[in-house]
Amino acid sequence: MARIDEIVDGIYRISTTFDLDGFDFQFNQFLIDDERPALIHTGMYAMYDDVRGAVGEVLDPGRLAYVILLHFESDECGGMDRFLEGAPDSALACSAASVQLNLSGWNYRGRVEGHQDGEVIDLGKHKLRFLETPHVHHWDSMMLFDETTKSVFPSDLFIQPGDQPAIVTENLGSEMCGFYREMGIFAHEDPVRHVVDRIDRLGPDWIHGMHGGSLRRETIPSFVRALREEPFAYRGKVLGRELPTEIGAAQ
Ligand SMILES: [Fe+2]
Ligand SMILES: [Fe+2]
C-alpha cells in the first residue's frame, strides 16, 4: 500500500516499499496540489490503482493538468496512459529529447509536450523549471526545480535504498554511492558531478528523490560531498550482476 505525506507546501510524497530480492526499495511519486495539479513519476503499471487512490486522498485525479516524466523507464511512467486518460485536460510533460527519442517513432498517441532547459511550467503557486541533465542516467534525463519551495526533483539522483522515512536526516551518502556502483546506472561520474554542482548553485531547500526520503537543506551537503568525492559510476556491474570484462569472456 502506498503511504502519502505532505512534505512541504502542497508537495505530497506518495511512497511504496517493495522487497526486491531481499532488500527494501522505495518507489515515490510526487503530487503537487495547485490550480493546475501535477504528478511527477507515475510508478510502474501495476502500481496504478494504489497511486491513483493516494492522489485521490488529496484531489480528484481527473483534475491533473500534468503528468511529468523525467526519463523513460517503467517506474517513471508505467501508469502514464491511464493517468492521462483519466484527466481529460492533462498532458505528459517531459524533455524535448524524450519526445524525439522515446515518444515518437512507435504507436504512442498520448498528448505530450517536450521542454528544453530553462522552460517553466506554471502550476499556479508552484513554478516548475526544467533542467536538462543528459547522461545523468539516460541521455533524455531531466530534472525539475520548483522555484516556490526551492525543491529539486532529481529522479534517481540522491537515491537511498531501504525503507526510509518521508524525510531522511541521516548521512547516507556512502551507502548511496555503493548502491550506484552495484546497480551501474551512471556510465561516468563527470556528467553527474556537473549536475550536482548546478544543483548546489541553486541552493535548494529540498531534494525530493524518487527512491528514499526527501532531504532538507541541512542534509543535502553530506550527499553532495559523497557524490563529489566517492566513486559511483559503472564498474562492471548491472543490477548487482557482474558482467564479463574481457573481450570474448562471455563466449
Ligand atoms: Fe531510472
Ligand atoms: Fe527511478
Side-chain angles (χ1 to χ4, degrees), residues 5-8 11-15 26 28-30 151-154 158 160 164-170 205-217 219-220 223:
D5 296 272
E6 184 174 10
I7 306 289
V8 55
I11 298 179
Y12 293 81
R13 172 184 178 269
I14 300 167
S15 185
Q26 292 177 317
N28 304 329
Q29 302 78 42
F30 293 93
S151 289
V152 174
F153 296 89
F158 299 96
Q160 313 116 43
Q164 301 295 348
I167 297 171
V168 160
T169 55
E170 238 181 307
D205 284 339
W206 289 95
I207 289 183
H208 307 293
M210 184 177 185
H211 310 281
S214 289
L215 308 177
R216 278 201 194 94
R217 186 177 192 89
T219 314
I220 295 169
F223 284 80

Side-chain angles (χ1 to χ4, degrees), residues 71 73 75-76 137-138 156:
H71 59 264
E73 277 179 347
D75 59 341
E76 294 277 342
H137 189 28
H138 291 279
D156 294 340

Side-chain angles (χ1 to χ4, degrees), residues 213-232:
S214 289
L215 308 177
R216 278 201 194 94
R217 186 177 192 89
E218 57 270 27
T219 314
I220 295 169
S222 57
F223 284 80
V224 165
R225 200 175 312 118
L227 288 165
R228 284 183 174 142
E229 294 174 2
E230 297 182 28
F232 58 81

Side-chain angles (χ1 to χ4, degrees), residues 22-84:
F23 71 94
D24 286 337
F25 196 65
Q26 292 177 317
F27 292 88
N28 304 329
Q29 302 78 42
F30 293 93
L31 174 68
I32 305 184
D33 181 12
D34 209 323
E35 286 170 46
R36 289 172 289 284
L39 180 66
I40 304 171
H41 328 298
T42 68
M44 287 86 84
Y45 185 85
M47 294 171 66
Y48 172 74
D49 288 328
D50 251 16
V51 175
R52 190 175 197 280
V55 171
E57 289 180 32
V58 179
L59 54 87
D60 173 3
R63 281 188 53 225
L64 284 174
Y66 293 102
V67 176
I68 303 182
L69 182 166
L70 302 183
H71 59 264
F72 203 85
E73 277 179 347
S74 63
D75 59 341
E76 294 277 342
C77 61
M80 69 183 180
D81 52 347
R82 286 175 289 172
F83 274 111
L84 289 165

Side-chain angles (χ1 to χ4, degrees), residues 127-185:
K127 323 277 178 204
L128 298 180
R129 196 197 313 166
F130 284 79
L131 313 175
E132 287 188 278
T133 57
H135 300 293
V136 180
H137 189 28
H138 291 279
W139 65 327
D140 65 326
S141 292
M142 58 166 230
M143 298 181 188
L144 291 169
F145 182 62
D146 173 31
E147 295 172 346
T148 310
T149 60
K150 299 189 79 179
S151 289
V152 174
F153 296 89
S155 184
D156 294 340
L157 193 56
F158 299 96
I159 221 163
Q160 313 116 43
D163 187 23
Q164 301 295 348
I167 297 171
V168 160
T169 55
E170 238 181 307
N171 175 4
L172 297 173
S174 291
E175 286 82 350
M176 167 183 67
C177 291
F179 185 77
Y180 287 146
R181 289 194 297 273
E182 278 294 304
M183 294 296 119
I185 80 164

